[in-house]
Amino acid sequence: MSSLTSAILWPFAPRLRRGVGGWLAGSFVVAALVAAPIVSLALLAAQGSGDLWPHLVAYILPQAFRDTLLLLGGVGILVVTIGASAAWLVTAYDFPGRRWLEWALLLPLAMPTYIIAYAYLDLLHPIGPVQSGLRALLGYESPRDLILPDIRSMGGCILLFGFVLYPYVYLSTRAMFLMQIASLVEVARTLSAGRAGVFFRVALPLARPAIAVGTSLALMEALNDVGASEFLGVRTLTVSIYSTWINRSNLPGAAQIALLMLLVVVTLIIIERFARRRQRYAGAAQRQRKLTPQRLGGWRGALAVVACLVPVLIGFVLPALYLVTEAAKRIRFAGISPEIVTQTITTVTISAIATVVALLLGLVLAFTARLAQRAFSAMLLRVASLGYAVPGTVLALGLLAPLTAVDGWIDDTSRMVFGVGTGLLLFGSGAALVYAYAARFLTISTGGIEAGLARISPSLDHAGRTLGASALGVVTRIQLPLISPALLSAGLLVFVDCMKELPATLLLRPLNLETLATHLYGEAARGTYEDGSVAALAIVLFGLVPVVLLARLGQRRIVARGRTAEPVDNVASDSLILGSAALDAAPVPASGPQVNGSYVSGTDPRT
């Protein structure tokens, strides 16, 4: 369909968007379900914690705030340093192994923070393989003769988190480097700017918005963690919430700490927005040239290889080798435990159900925003996206009161009508976990679906409506088939994130239910590392699936396909949510109004 047709149909858009009231109502319900835990948390905290609050203020909160701020500051510096440097090296320079390292730098994404802490606690133990090997090499006999710094410290926690979370910055920054700066870098080189000058004076300032987005997501992941922080002896706000609830049985006190934690999250978002408030860059509406890498040879090339290889080794290779070795020992000794098989089936089942729910809700939100194109639908989309910014521990606390009330109402109604009680139906069946997973990772599914929809020209929607199709008909017969690759990519990432989620699972699982993550947490708490290695390895293997997807589909460069450069908001979110997989895999209708490979202004929703 030509751009002239789009121009003719555009005045009739309000009439064509009729019949979307049901979609708006559905989006309102989804947004309410996501916001309910936050409202419930505030009401729970308002009840007061009695005599516990003075104790929290005097002894718990000061250390928790200090440790949390130190952790976030250290992790932020480390992920920016590693992620931005690695992204620039693999984009601007050509050195031995660059193509392999380009996707290998994504591998730490498959390693949850609690698993890397679990692995290094045993690897760097005084009688572990690293220190034992060093003593044998240096001729020492007793562990007292060679004492390395303890990994159970703030410094150790920052290092491990930094080496496993840097891919968030790497992905968004590399996307920016690929799309935005080829001509600017070449101009700087012709003006005799050196390598350091080009990076610090041209590339880095342009990448600041993408760095801000990636860093904020990495810090939210660090804030969400409970397993690694607890294993490494760092008392963050998340650990304090868990211990206040579980050890002291004081739910209002835990809710009050959770509200303070939400304040930290909001502060991170405000800082991220402020850091890029006036920094949105877009290239010209023409085919973008790819930055030509400069050849690095000799010691410079070797140094680049080492700089990119070290994060991969620390963040993935060493802990993965440890898990494989320990799992092999365990399997040779006792085989694969039936409990592990049962827990794997349970984890996969709950994660699959939550993924389907998240995708269905994401479809409702994304299609509503597409069909309605109103401020109200955009507001609902933002509210429904809050779940990803809320740590799993906070979300679980907020779900307790409403789900308990619903369980009580179902039980009372069942007794009144059928004479039989249902008990804790939602909590006992794992439905609470499905709710938590879907609410927390709804942003991923919605973002992936929106990325696919952004590739479909609105003129196709208008044409379908003028031919008599209803809003549902446009969705099912036009939009849904075209976004199927983006839908599958989003579903895959939601599924893996559900499998890896630990904080919400620890707090909401039924008493008789164990997942791979909770099994590993229990083994690590008991110090039986070899017994938990099989579960940890299974989680990592599942986590490798989206990394492989990122590596394969990420090779289809946006710039190589002649797409118009997008504002960094879209670049970063598409890269971080789907690693450009949905954008590159989603088909572009041949009839979409384009000029020189770019959408005509006014027809693409991103312009």
Side-chain angles (χ1 to χ4, degrees):
M1 185 171 293
S2 66
S3 58
L4 178 61
T5 306
S6 297
I8 294 173
L9 292 175
W10 186 252
F12 299 96
R15 181 173 63 83
L16 296 176
R17 290 196 294 268
R18 289 176 186 170
V20 298
W23 291 96
L24 284 171
S27 292
F28 179 81
V29 172
V30 174
L33 288 174
V34 175
I38 301 175
V39 176
S40 170
L41 188 71
L43 296 176
L44 186 62
Q47 297 177 8
S49 54
D51 297 335
L52 182 62
W53 182 248
H55 173 78
L56 294 177
V57 172
Y59 301 105
I60 303 298
L61 291 180
Q63 180 185 357
F65 260 111
R66 183 177 63 252
D67 285 2
T68 300
L69 294 178
L70 285 175
L71 178 65
L72 295 181
V75 171
I77 293 173
L78 198 56
V79 296
V80 168
T81 302
I82 298 174
S85 301
W88 179 246
L89 284 174
V90 299
T91 304
Y93 299 105
D94 186 17
F95 49 87
R98 179 181 70 90
R99 293 189 178 277
W100 178 82
L101 288 168
E102 196 172 24
W103 68 263
L105 283 162
L106 299 173
L107 289 175
L109 282 175
M111 193 72 63
T113 50
Y114 57 87
I115 288 184
I116 198 171
Y118 166 88
Y120 276 104
L121 277 174
D122 199 26
L123 279 172
L124 300 180
H125 194 274
I127 58 174
V130 174
Q131 294 202 40
S132 298
L134 286 175
R135 286 195 300 271
L137 184 64
L138 299 175
Y140 296 115
E141 295 182 358
S142 172
R144 298 177 181 177
D145 297 334
L146 179 65
I147 302 177
L148 297 181
D150 193 356
I151 193 66
R152 287 186 175 92
S153 63
M154 177 62 71
C157 192
I158 290 173
L159 282 175
L160 294 185
F161 276 40
F163 278 104
V164 80
L165 296 176
Y166 76 84
Y168 286 100
V169 178
Y170 169 76
L171 275 171
S172 60
T173 308
R174 179 168 161 265
M176 174 65 81
F177 288 157
L178 284 171
M179 294 181 59
Q180 296 288 343
I181 62 172
S183 59
L184 295 176
V185 168
E186 290 171 1
V187 169
R189 287 171 178 171
T190 58
L191 294 176
S192 302
R195 291 188 174 97
V198 170
F199 177 64
F200 287 106
R201 298 175 63 184
V202 178
L204 206 56
L206 284 174
R208 278 186 296 178
I211 292 174
V213 173
T215 304
S216 65
L217 288 179
L219 294 184
M220 287 180 189
E221 287 295 322
L223 193 61
N224 179 61
D225 173 81
V226 64
S229 301
E230 187 176 1
F231 296 160
L232 298 172
V234 178
R235 266 198 99 70
T236 61
L237 286 169
T238 310
V239 176
S240 299
I241 293 171
Y242 182 72
S243 61
T244 301
W245 182 6
I246 300 301
N247 299 335
R248 297 183 179 274
S249 301
N250 194 302
L251 193 55
Q256 290 170 340
I257 302 177
L259 283 182
L260 294 176
M261 189 172 172
L262 273 182
L263 180 62
V264 175
V265 172
V266 171
T267 303
L268 286 176
I269 295 175
I270 292 174
I271 292 174
E272 180 262 326
R273 296 285 182 183
F274 180 81
R276 58 187 180 93
R277 64 195 184 282
R278 296 179 181 175
Q279 299 171 350
R280 297 189 180 190
Y281 309 105
Q286 59 192 20
R287 184 177 296 271
Q288 298 294 302
R289 289 189 300 105
K290 183 180 177 181
L291 179 64
T292 303
Q294 284 187 328
R295 179 68 182 174
L296 288 181
W299 65 271
R300 289 188 177 88
L303 192 61
V305 172
V306 172
C308 293
L309 189 59
V310 168
V312 179
L313 290 175
I314 297 177
F316 180 80
V317 175
L318 292 179
L321 288 176
Y322 163 81
L323 292 178
V324 171
T325 303
E326 294 301 316
K329 291 180 182 177
R330 176 65 184 175
I331 293 173
R332 278 200 307 267
F333 176 74
I336 298 179
S337 170
E339 293 182 354
I340 291 291
V341 177
T342 302
Q343 291 160 8
T344 302
I345 295 173
T346 301
T347 305
V348 170
T349 301
I350 294 178
S351 300
I353 295 172
T355 299
V356 172
V357 173
L359 288 178
L360 291 175
L361 299 181
L363 285 170
V364 172
L365 290 168
F367 285 142
T368 301
R370 170 85 172 192
L371 295 171
Q373 297 183 7
R374 300 172 186 171
F376 182 64
S377 62
M379 182 194 69
L380 292 178
L381 187 62
R382 286 187 176 274
V383 172
S385 300
L386 289 175
Y388 194 71
V390 178
T393 308
V394 176
L395 188 66
L397 275 176
L399 284 175
L400 275 180
L403 291 184
T404 301
V406 173
D407 262 338
W409 178 81
I410 294 175
D411 183 68
D412 292 341
T413 304
S414 177
R415 289 180 184 276
M416 186 185 308
V417 176
F418 303 106
V420 179
T422 59
L424 295 177
L425 183 63
L426 297 180
F427 281 106
S429 64
L433 278 180
V434 173
Y435 186 168
Y437 290 167
R440 175 149 168 72
F441 302 118
L442 181 60
T443 304
I444 299 178
S445 66
T446 306
I449 295 166
E450 281 193 304
L453 288 174
R455 300 294 304 274
I456 303 174
S457 171
S459 60
L460 294 179
D461 303 351
H462 301 157
R465 296 305 298 273
T466 56
L467 292 174
S470 63
L472 182 61
V474 170
V475 168
T476 56
R477 299 175 62 184
I478 297 177
Q479 296 174 351
L480 201 56
L482 290 174
I483 66 167
S484 55
L487 194 63
L488 291 174
S489 300
L492 176 62
L493 290 184
V494 171
F495 175 77
V496 174
D497 275 343
C498 291
M499 289 199 63
K500 296 190 295 185
E501 175 64 23
L502 177 63
T505 310
L506 277 176
L507 299 177
L508 293 177
R509 64 191 170 108
L511 294 177
N512 60 342
L513 186 143
E514 287 279 357
T515 66
L516 291 174
T518 58
H519 172 84
L520 175 62
Y521 177 84
E523 297 294 351
R526 290 188 289 270
T528 52
Y529 297 103
E530 187 176 298
D531 293 339
S533 59
V534 178
L537 184 61
I539 295 173
V540 172
L541 290 177
F542 277 107
L544 277 174
V545 176
V547 174
V548 173
L549 179 73
L550 293 177
R552 293 187 61 184
L553 296 179
Q555 298 300 322
R556 304 176 185 179
R557 309 289 191 202
I558 297 175
V559 292
R561 297 181 62 174
R563 294 181 55 202
T564 304
E566 304 173 25
V568 69
D569 286 345
N570 293 329
V571 174
S573 62
D574 293 344
S575 299
L576 290 168
I577 294 175
L578 289 176
S580 300
L583 287 175
D584 290 333
V588 181
S591 57
Q594 298 182 12
V595 175
N596 293 331
S598 303
Y599 284 103
V600 177
S601 178
T603 62
D604 182 43
R606 292 168 293 179
T607 59

